[in-house]
């Protein structure tokens, strides 16, 4: 007799001759796993945590016989190790290039949401917003190229784009996830970067008759005490129940997850270089803007802010599954998420004042000013605003579906699916800005025009700053509230979908089965803008005078830590200030024309608010698709080959509403357009414009089983990603700045076409005794991208825009002649390019080590991605190139874990180097982000079979987010979030 230490990976493969053992919770769509494989997997998983032998055994009976007759050492693997093995099994036997996460993995911390969970996979990284992972990037491509489904159904988003916000999906309610990096014809089209498939539980597939799990924990943020008014503590609660009834023909599952967490950050924000001035005085200087080459670029200014607030997420999941006969299953499921946040941003904003400011002692990076002293002149708007902004965001996500699966004959399967996905977002961007007066107690307060400020940027470190008014920022005898504004963004997005799929098994040595089907979806997106403004942020308005503050409205706030050298400021109680300013009640925002051109009666409005009407509208999208796909299961020259090939045909009909300025000409369709408060504009014609197109998307996936332990995959496909849904909305607008410059945009375009790419994948997978090594190469050739083109000196009046010839300066009463500025619009450019890269993954579960060390394990991945795709940016003044948004050349993820007799601990780190994304706190400014390393730690102990306690720290090293404009010396954002500590328990029956 001898003791054999078997392959740990075989843990989930024993009792199946080809190792087709799957956990009931693996991340794999139901239509991709045949009934026989599931039966084998269930039999294996019913064993005692899947005991294994060193050799694969043909069936369970033989496995039991060998166990009785041979002295075999049994190794039991649970927890995080088990989840890794389940994930490897799913990857190994999948028919596409994919990454998998199992239920055990997703249910464990430190995953606050699905965004955190997915970033542990090779080639996947995240963009942190407010310290939390929200948008994910796959293979160097941003979230707009990622298509997402829940239970195989398209998901819409509250973001106004096609990229879902994964932080709205609690990890406790998702049983499995998969990231498909290569498509197949049966998958819904839309993911150039990849497709993320989230799955909720199937109650009839669970082993236990009844199970109940509860999870409770508290949290603490260690930077909250640095932010006046921020919450220190939060909580996380979840529970779920799964049960089977009526002799296992009826299954029920319900789940609830609640997250209440403080939102905390301290940040410096550099503003874009959107103006120019001859600062250096050098004769013959020609490196500046085209309109004035002698000038140097100057920034709009900077902001220093405390952020605080509370985010509350309530998630709900329910499923009912009925199998009255062996060959028919009917399932209905629902998922709902409610994500509400209320936050504040307090501090001050320095506005340099543009080209009319006086600048001395300048410092330069190239042709851009990165330091100097700015003084206000009679023509400049140089000032410091005390900021007390209030933002509210109320998001709703709903997903409902009914699925019927009918095994009509031994060969024919029919699957019917009906679904609804809906999302609503009500984001209310509110501001309360104060300015410095000479004497706030005067009968007629005077705006203090003696403004001087000095600064010097220090790249990715905080800048040096100085203000001549610094003492006034915290003095209620000097500070007066001068402007209040609220600017809601309301989005609604809904898609109804109907799907019919057939699978027919063949008796063929090459093609094992054929799948074909069709899908119809009808999507409607709407965006509504509105506005209310009162006062003036650049001066004190005579008609809407500033508010004098009192002691009970204010608190003096000091900066702490790294920011401690910035001057103190006044935090203002928003409700008390508004009650005093508007004793009859604060007016609410409306969608209005204001005094726009073409208005018959402006009802007292003196400002053009036409953008609130013109940027509101609807987008319609109807998609009809069909596919046919053959599944391969053959052997050539003794080499087993599996996979699939097929084609998907997609017809898209997209259109959007818009208002076209026809100067009131009724022959061109001009109508009286009435806003929310009854103001009528007669200049515009309502129209619906769009485009209809058809795409053919072939794909092939081949898996060559080189040996019992190794395989080679090859995949090729044509893929597409439609433009963000909000970029299809019509939004023609133009506005005049205080200095008379006209700027406008139609940055959206209903004629935008999809992104297309031809992609190829080649990977090698080797599964050894205690883990696996995977190496993959990929190449994507993208045809085109969407560019926002800026046209300078655009003739607005000549192109039909209703703009004034002059404006009236509010202070002097003088006429200022208007000048043409920049018009931006969105187009599909003709320049694409390649994205290519390498991915490596290594997993090792050391279960065969001596008892005290058998719980040790390591999991790591590395990806290198490069692209020839570049875009031009001038946010930093000097025109420069920047990479494709979402692309980090190097991304590393690693987890070291250990478990012993109920104790389990793990340390996880995620690194990504420099990348391009939207600047934190400043939407639609695409900037460079510095590389970052995020480290999380978790420890847990199983006190009893049902009760466990846990402790974790997220962002263990307090890693900040840092960005810059083109070069590191031109600071973008420096934002610190703090560490989050969790302590709690889990209970399972």
């Amino acid at each position: 007799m001898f003791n054999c230490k078997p392959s740990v990976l075989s843990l989930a493969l024993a009792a199946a001759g080809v190792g087709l053992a799957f956990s009931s919770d693996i991340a794999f769509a139901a239509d991709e796993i045949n009934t026989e494989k599931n039966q084998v997997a269930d039999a294996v998983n019913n064993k005692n945590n899947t005991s294994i032998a060193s050799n694969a055994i043909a069936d369970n009976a033989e496995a039991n016989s060998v166990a009785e007759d041979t002295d075999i050492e049994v190794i039991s693997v649970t927890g995080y190790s088990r989840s890794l093995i389940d994930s490897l099994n799913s990857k190994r036997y999948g028919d596409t290039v994919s990454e998998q996460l199992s239920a055990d993995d997703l249910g464990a911390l430190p995953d606050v949401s699905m965004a955190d969970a997915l970033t542990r996979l090779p080639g996947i990284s995240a963009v942190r917003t407010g310290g939390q992972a929200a948008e994910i990037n796959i293979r160097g491509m941003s979230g707009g190229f990622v298509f997402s489904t829940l239970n195989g159904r398209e998901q819409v988003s509250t973001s106004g784009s096609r990229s879902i916000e994964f932080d709205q999906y609690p990890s406790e309610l998702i049983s499995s996830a998969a990231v498909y990096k290569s498509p197949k014809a049966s998958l819904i089209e839309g993911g150039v970067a990849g497709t993320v498939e989230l799955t909720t539980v199937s109650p009839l597939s669970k082993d236990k008759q009844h199970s109940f799990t509860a999870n409770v924990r508290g949290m603490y943020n260690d930077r909250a005490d640095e932010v006046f008014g921020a919450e220190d503590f939060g909580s996380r609660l979840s529970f779920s129940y799964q049960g089977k009834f009526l002799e296992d023909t009826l299954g029920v599952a319900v789940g609830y997850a609640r997250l209440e967490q403080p939102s905390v950050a301290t940040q410096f924000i550099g503003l874009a270089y959107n103006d120019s001035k001859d600062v250096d005085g050098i004769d013959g200087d020609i490196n500046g803007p085209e309109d004035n080459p002698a000038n140097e670029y100057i920034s709009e200014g900077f902001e220093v802010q405390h952020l605080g607030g509370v985010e509350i997420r309530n998630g709900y999941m329910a499923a009912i599954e009925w199998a009255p006969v062996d060959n028919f299953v009917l399932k209905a499921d629902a998922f709902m998420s409610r994500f509400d946040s209320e936050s504040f941003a307090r501090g001050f904003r320095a506005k340099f004042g543009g080209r009319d400011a006086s600048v001395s002692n300048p410092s330069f990076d190239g042709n851009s000013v990165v330091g100097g002293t700015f003084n206000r002149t009679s023509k400049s708007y140089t000032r410091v605003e005390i900021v007390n902004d209030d933002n509210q965001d109320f998001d709703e996500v709903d997903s409902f579906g009914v699925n019927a699966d009918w095994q009509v004959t031994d060969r024919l399967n029919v699957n019917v699916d009906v679904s609804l996905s809906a999302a609503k977002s009500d984001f209310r961007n509110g501001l309360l800005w104060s300015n410095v007066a000479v004497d706030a107690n005067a009968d007629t307060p005077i705006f203090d025009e003696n403004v001087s400020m000095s600064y010097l940027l220090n790249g990715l470190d905080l800048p040096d700053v100085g203000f001549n008014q610094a003492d006034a920022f915290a003095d209620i005898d000097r500070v007066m509230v001068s402007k209040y504004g609220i600017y809601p963004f309301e989005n609604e997005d809904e898609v109804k979908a109907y799907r019919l799929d057939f699978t027919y098994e063949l008796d063929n040595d090459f093609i094992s089965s054929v799948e074909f089907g069709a899908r119809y979806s009808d999507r409607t997106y709407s965006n509504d803008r509105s506005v209310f403004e009162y006062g003036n942020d650049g001066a004190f308005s005579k008609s809407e005078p500033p508010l004098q503050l009192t002691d009970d409205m204010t608190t003096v706030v000091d900066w702490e830590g790294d920011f401690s050298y910035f001057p103190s400021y006044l935090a203002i109680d928003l409700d008390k200030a508004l009650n005093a300013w508007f004793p009859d009640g604060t007016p609410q925002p409306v969608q209005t024309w204001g005094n726009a051109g073409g208005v018959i009666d402006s009802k007292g409005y003196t400002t053009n608010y036409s953008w609130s009407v013109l940027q509101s509208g609807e987008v319609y999208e109807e998609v009809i698709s069909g596919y046919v796909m053959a599944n391969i299961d053959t052997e050539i020259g003794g080499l087993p080959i599996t996979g699939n090939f097929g084609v998907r045909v997609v017809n898209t009909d997209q259109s959007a509403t818009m208002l076209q300025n026809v100067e009131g000409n009724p022959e061109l369709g001009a109508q009286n357009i009435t806003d929310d408060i009854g103001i009528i504009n007669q200049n515009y014609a309502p129209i619906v414009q769009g485009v209809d197109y058809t795409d053919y998307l072939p794909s092939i996936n081949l898996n060559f089983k080189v040996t019992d332990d190794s395989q080679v995959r090859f995949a090729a496909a044509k893929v597409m990603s439609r433009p963000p849904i909000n970029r299809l909305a019509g939004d023609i607008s133009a506005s005049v700045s205080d200095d008379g410059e006209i700027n406008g945009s139609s940055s959206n375009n209903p004629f935008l076409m999809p992104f297309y790419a031809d992609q190829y994948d080649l990977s090698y997978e080797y599964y050894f005794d205690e883990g696996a090594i995977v190496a993959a190469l990929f190449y994507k050739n993208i045809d085109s991208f969407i560019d926002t083109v800026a046209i300078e000196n655009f003739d607005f009046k000549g192109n039909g825009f209703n703009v004034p010839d002059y404006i009236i300066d509010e202070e002097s009463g003088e006429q200022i002649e208007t000048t043409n500025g920049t018009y931006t619009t969105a187009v599909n450019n003709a320049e694409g390019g390649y994205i290519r890269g390498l991915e490596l993954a290594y997993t090792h579960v050391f279960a065969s080590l001596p008892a005290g060390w058998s719980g040790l394990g390591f999991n790591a991945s590395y990806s290198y991605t490069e692209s020839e795709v570049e875009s031009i940016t001038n946010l930093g003044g000097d025109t420069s190139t920047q990479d494709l948004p979402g692309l980090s050349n190097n991304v590393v993820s690693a987890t070291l874990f250990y478990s012993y007799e109920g104790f389990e601990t793990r340390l996880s780190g995620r690194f990504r180097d420099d990348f391009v994304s939207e600047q934190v706190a400043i939407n639609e400014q695409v900037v460079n982000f510095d590389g970052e390393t995020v480290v999380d730690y978790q420890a847990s102990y199983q006190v009893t079979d049902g009760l466990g306690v846990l402790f974790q720290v997220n962002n263990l090293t307090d890693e900040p987010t840092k960005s810059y404009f083109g070069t590191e010396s031109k600071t973008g954002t420096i934002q610190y979030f703090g560490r989050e500590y969790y302590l709690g328990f889990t209970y399972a029956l």
Side-chain angles (χ1 to χ4, degrees):
M1 301 290 290
F2 63 94
N3 289 336
C4 169
K5 291 187 179 293
S7 162
V8 173
L9 183 61
S10 298
L11 178 68
L13 308 182
V18 292
L20 298 174
F22 288 76
S23 164
S24 59
D25 295 326
I26 58 172
F28 212 80
D31 62 344
E32 297 169 359
I33 305 174
N34 62 42
T35 304
E36 180 181 352
K37 292 179 181 178
N38 278 330
Q39 290 172 345
V40 173
D42 289 342
V44 174
N45 286 328
N46 282 332
K47 294 173 71 65
N48 190 13
N49 283 319
T50 325
S51 300
I52 61 166
S54 58
N55 298 314
I57 307 171
D59 53 30
N60 282 325
E62 187 173 347
N64 292 333
S65 174
V66 171
E68 292 173 1
D69 298 339
T70 309
D71 182 11
I72 296 179
E73 180 179 346
V74 173
I75 300 174
S76 178
V77 179
T78 60
Y80 187 72
S81 301
R82 171 64 183 273
S83 71
L84 288 177
I85 291 173
D86 287 344
S87 298
L88 286 175
N89 282 336
S90 298
K91 178 181 180 66
R92 184 174 187 176
Y93 296 106
D95 58 353
T96 65
V97 178
S98 64
E99 308 293 342
Q100 313 283 339
L101 286 172
S102 75
D104 286 344
D105 204 11
L106 298 176
L109 296 175
D111 303 325
V112 174
S113 71
M114 288 307 305
D116 292 295
L118 291 167
T119 56
R120 293 202 306 274
L121 296 174
I124 300 176
S125 53
V127 178
R128 293 190 296 163
T129 302
Q132 304 293 333
E135 176 188 301
I136 67 167
N137 304 152
I138 299 179
R139 286 183 164 177
M141 303 189 74
S142 62
F145 298 95
V146 177
F147 187 76
S148 302
T149 65
L150 179 66
N151 295 327
R153 301 160 184 145
E154 179 181 6
Q155 295 296 287
V156 296
S157 173
T158 60
S159 66
S161 66
R162 296 187 191 270
S163 172
I164 73 169
E165 296 180 310
F166 285 94
D167 56 350
Q168 295 180 347
Y169 292 79
S171 59
E172 300 96 330
L173 301 184
I174 304 298
S175 67
S176 60
V179 177
Y180 297 101
K181 297 177 178 178
S182 70
K184 56 182 178 179
S186 60
L187 283 177
I188 304 173
E189 73 288 340
V192 167
T195 297
V196 177
E197 163 65 21
L198 307 180
T199 307
T200 58
V201 72
S202 172
L204 285 182
S205 70
K206 304 302 292 183
D207 294 332
K208 289 185 177 180
Q209 201 72 18
H210 300 278
S211 63
F212 173 82
T213 303
N215 191 328
V216 179
R217 65 211 67 166
M219 69 160 295
Y220 167 75
N221 186 291
D222 67 356
R223 277 191 178 263
D225 58 0
E226 297 181 4
V227 178
F228 170 74
E231 297 288 338
D232 295 81
F233 296 95
S235 61
R236 190 173 171 189
L237 165 70
S238 68
F239 70 82
S240 61
Y241 167 78
Q242 298 163 88
K244 294 189 288 187
F245 305 89
L246 303 179
E247 298 181 348
D248 294 351
T249 61
L250 180 67
V252 176
V254 293
Y256 169 73
R258 177 180 175 84
L259 174 69
E260 183 173 348
Q261 67 179 3
S263 174
V264 176
T266 307
Q267 65 185 17
F268 170 86
I269 304 172
L271 303 180
Y273 290 70
N274 53 13
D275 214 331
S276 69
K277 177 183 177 67
D278 186 3
V279 177
D280 60 13
I282 299 176
D283 293 335
D285 185 359
I286 58 172
N287 295 320
E290 291 183 8
D291 59 342
N292 198 332
N295 283 3
E296 283 70 51
Y297 298 100
I298 56 177
S299 167
E300 182 181 342
F302 62 85
E303 302 178 2
V304 187
Q305 294 180 340
H306 282 133
L307 305 184
V310 177
E311 297 175 343
I312 299 176
R313 182 189 66 200
N314 288 288
Y316 310 85
M317 180 276 298
I320 183 168
E321 198 168 16
W322 183 46
V325 292
D326 291 341
N327 65 336
F328 181 80
V329 178
L330 180 67
K331 181 182 178 182
D333 56 77
F335 173 87
M336 297 183 293
S337 176
R338 301 292 181 266
F339 199 116
D340 300 335
S341 67
E342 299 190 23
S343 61
F344 60 79
R346 302 189 183 119
F348 52 84
R349 177 184 296 108
K351 302 295 286 288
F352 290 156
R355 65 187 62 186
D356 293 322
S358 172
V359 184
S360 60
N361 303 317
S363 296
F364 300 96
D365 175 68
N367 209 44
S368 300
V369 177
V370 296
T373 299
F374 285 74
N375 295 292
R376 186 181 177 104
T377 67
S378 60
K379 294 183 178 180
S380 76
Y381 57 86
T382 310
R383 64 185 184 272
V384 177
E385 302 165 348
I386 311 302
V387 174
N388 284 266
D389 290 352
D390 174 67
N391 294 323
Q392 300 178 351
D393 194 3
F394 306 101
D395 293 338
E396 300 180 8
V397 174
D398 295 322
S399 181
F400 306 100
V402 177
N403 182 274
D405 188 85
W406 182 23
Q407 191 68 37
V408 182
T409 68
D410 290 342
R411 295 183 179 273
L412 177 63
N413 179 271
V414 179
N415 189 282
V416 180
D417 194 90
V418 179
S419 64
L420 168 68
S421 176
K424 295 181 180 180
S425 176
D426 183 1
F427 174 63
R428 300 172 69 84
N429 175 217
L431 59 88
L432 189 74
W433 293 346
S434 304
N435 283 310
V436 177
V438 175
D439 181 2
N441 300 303
D443 292 338
T444 304
I446 299 174
F447 187 93
D448 185 2
E449 296 185 351
N450 180 21
V451 183
S452 178
M453 63 184 78
S454 299
Y455 85 110
L456 178 64
L457 297 180
N458 290 317
L460 299 180
D461 294 318
L462 293 173
D464 301 320
V465 296
F467 307 92
N468 72 321
Q469 295 178 323
D471 293 339
F473 298 163
D475 186 353
I476 64 170
D477 293 327
R478 299 288 305 280
V479 175
M480 302 190 75
V481 177
S482 59
K483 183 173 183 177
Y484 171 69
I486 184 167
Y487 309 88
F489 294 72
E490 297 181 69
N491 295 319
E492 292 191 20
D493 201 353
E494 179 181 282
V495 60
K496 299 174 183 176
Y498 309 87
R499 184 170 177 172
L500 178 62
D501 297 281
F502 299 87
T503 302
Y504 189 79
E505 302 288 339
L506 300 176
D507 186 8
N508 186 286
D509 292 337
F510 183 77
I511 304 298
S512 61
S513 63
V514 175
E515 298 181 35
F516 55 96
R519 178 179 179 269
Y520 169 78
S521 66
D522 184 3
R523 184 170 187 171
T524 302
Y525 166 82
S526 66
N527 177 45
D528 285 302
R529 298 299 314 277
S530 53
V531 59
F532 171 73
E533 289 183 327
Y534 187 86
N536 189 335
D537 60 324
F540 289 157
S541 171
K542 296 178 181 178
S543 60
E544 298 172 341
L547 171 71
Q548 184 175 4
L549 294 166
T550 58
D551 286 332
D552 65 320
M553 296 181 192
T554 62
T555 301
V556 176
V557 175
D558 300 321
W559 299 89
E560 298 184 22
D562 297 331
F563 291 74
S564 60
Y565 64 93
F566 288 101
S568 303
Y569 67 93
L570 288 179
I572 300 173
D573 187 303
L574 179 67
D575 292 334
K576 290 181 179 179
L578 293 181
N579 289 337
W581 219 5
F582 306 104
D584 296 329
T586 306
Q588 294 303 302
V590 293
Q591 188 177 113
T592 181
W593 293 107
N595 73 339
V599 164
I600 297 174
D601 176 10
S602 64
K603 298 186 182 296
Y605 276 87
T606 59
T607 303
N608 181 348
Y609 290 123
S610 60
W611 59 264
S612 68
V613 180
L614 299 175
Q615 292 181 17
S616 302
E618 293 187 333
V619 176
Y620 311 106
E621 183 180 86
E622 289 190 32
V623 178
I624 301 175
S625 60
Y627 74 94
V628 60
M629 183 177 76
N631 294 309
I632 303 170
D633 189 356
T634 189
E635 189 173 296
I636 299 178
L639 180 66
I641 302 173
T642 58
N644 56 69
F645 63 92
V647 63
R648 189 172 187 89
V649 182
V650 186
N651 176 261
T652 304
D653 184 355
Q654 69 188 34
S655 57
T657 63
M658 60 194 314
L659 296 175
Q660 186 175 40
N661 191 342
V662 295
E663 296 293 338
N665 188 339
E667 294 182 0
L668 297 177
Q671 298 182 16
N672 289 339
I673 310 295
T674 306
D675 67 17
D676 286 351
I677 58 176
I679 297 177
I680 299 173
N681 192 313
Q682 57 185 5
N683 273 4
Y684 290 86
I687 58 175
V688 177
Q689 292 186 326
V691 65
D692 182 292
Y693 54 91
T694 300
D695 295 301
Y696 299 87
L697 307 174
S699 62
I700 184 170
N701 291 273
L702 297 175
N703 181 26
F704 303 91
K705 191 173 179 60
V706 181
T707 69
D708 289 343
D709 298 322
S710 62
Q711 56 193 21
V712 174
R713 293 183 187 274
F714 171 78
K718 181 178 181 180
V719 292
M720 64 176 284
S721 286
R722 295 184 180 87
I725 194 77
N726 58 350
R727 297 298 301 271
L728 300 177
D731 69 335
I732 300 173
S733 65
S735 61
V736 184
S737 64
D738 294 341
D739 60 1
E741 184 176 75
I742 306 170
N743 291 288
S745 72
S746 58
S747 55
N748 302 334
N749 185 346
F751 298 100
L752 288 174
M753 298 294 286
F755 309 89
Y756 296 103
D758 296 321
Q759 68 175 41
Y760 306 91
D761 291 86
L762 180 65
S763 62
Y764 173 74
E765 302 169 10
Y766 174 65
Y767 299 87
F768 57 92
D769 281 353
E770 297 182 329
I773 297 175
V774 178
L777 297 171
F778 66 89
Y779 181 92
K780 298 175 185 286
N781 184 34
I782 299 179
D783 291 344
S784 66
F785 290 89
I786 293 175
D787 269 352
T788 300
V789 178
I791 306 172
E792 297 182 356
N793 298 317
F794 183 78
D795 185 1
F796 284 90
K797 185 173 286 291
N799 283 277
F801 283 82
N802 189 10
V803 293
D805 295 320
Y806 62 87
I807 61 172
I808 304 297
D809 183 84
E810 188 171 347
E811 292 186 11
S812 65
E814 298 178 354
Q815 290 186 359
I816 300 176
E817 185 177 352
T818 59
T819 58
N820 287 322
T822 302
Y823 179 67
T824 59
T825 187
V827 298
N828 286 95
N829 67 20
E831 297 181 4
Y834 68 76
I835 301 173
R836 61 191 181 192
L838 163 72
E839 294 174 350
L840 302 174
Y842 171 66
T843 300
H844 204 147
V845 180
F846 299 97
S848 61
L849 291 177
W853 298 97
S854 61
L856 184 66
F858 182 69
N859 181 45
S861 66
Y862 166 77
S863 66
Y864 174 80
T865 309
E866 63 179 20
S867 175
E868 66 178 346
V869 178
E870 293 181 331
S871 60
I872 302 297
T873 179
N874 57 7
L875 292 177
D878 297 306
T879 299
S880 61
T881 59
Q882 62 185 15
D883 290 334
L884 181 69
L887 187 146
S888 288
N889 289 126
N890 299 282
V891 176
V892 180
S893 175
T895 300
L896 178 66
F897 55 94
Y898 175 75
S899 61
Y900 182 70
E901 294 186 351
F903 172 75
E904 185 168 273
T905 185
R906 53 179 151 132
L907 184 69
S908 300
R910 301 188 297 273
F911 165 78
R912 67 180 306 183
D913 59 12
D914 294 14
F915 64 100
V916 171
S917 187
E918 287 190 357
Q919 183 177 2
V920 175
I922 305 292
N923 289 332
E924 298 181 1
Q925 286 192 356
V926 178
V927 299
N928 299 85
F929 278 75
D930 188 36
E932 61 183 25
T933 302
V934 181
V935 180
D936 302 320
Y937 173 74
Q938 174 188 328
S940 62
Y941 179 68
Q942 200 66 28
V943 181
T944 68
D945 288 343
L947 179 64
V949 295
L950 59 91
F951 169 75
Q952 74 175 107
V953 186
N954 287 351
N955 195 20
L956 184 64
T957 59
D958 193 14
E959 181 80 348
T961 290
K962 299 181 178 182
S963 68
Y964 53 93
F965 297 108
T967 62
E968 291 185 2
S969 60
K970 289 174 283 192
T971 314
T973 298
I974 300 175
Q975 187 177 56
Y976 288 87
F977 313 106
R979 303 172 184 85
E980 291 180 339
Y981 298 85
Y982 288 84
L983 179 64
F985 68 88
T986 59
Y987 184 75
L989 284 176

